């Protein structure tokens, strides 16, 4: 199988991208709040292709930084 992930839409000002986009274990660390759209295309050796896309809503962390106790 081949796998290809990509960010289709990101919030303005974002520069984040998929880490390991050709891996089933790809990841994304969003750097901006807003709506993200991520797509994955999977193909097998016979040429069958499946595409899936999802919107992801990312919120801001707020104005209070986290505290470790």
């Amino acid at each position: 199988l081949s796998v290809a992930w990509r960010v289709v839409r990101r919030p303005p000002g974002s520069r984040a991208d998929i880490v390991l986009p050709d891996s089933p274990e790809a990841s994304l660390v969003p750097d901006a709040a807003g709506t993200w759209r991520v797509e994955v295309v999977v193909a097998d050796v016979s040429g069958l292709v499946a595409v899936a896309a999802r919107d992801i809503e990312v919120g801001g962390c707020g104005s209070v930084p986290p505290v470790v106790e």
Side-chain angles (χ1 to χ4, degrees):
L1 290 177
S2 68
V3 179
W5 293 87
R6 71 184 186 113
V7 175
V8 178
R9 185 176 60 241
R10 69 186 82 229
S14 169
R15 294 182 181 220
D17 212 346
I18 302 287
V19 177
L20 300 173
D22 298 327
S23 168
E25 299 174 13
S27 63
L28 170 67
V29 179
D31 62 352
T35 302
W36 294 73
R37 185 160 183 83
V38 178
E39 177 184 86
V40 62
V41 179
V42 180
D44 69 10
V45 293
S46 67
L48 294 174
V49 176
V51 179
R54 293 289 182 267
D55 286 340
I56 303 167
E57 290 294 327
V58 175
C61 66
S63 60
V64 179
V67 177
V68 178
E69 296 180 8

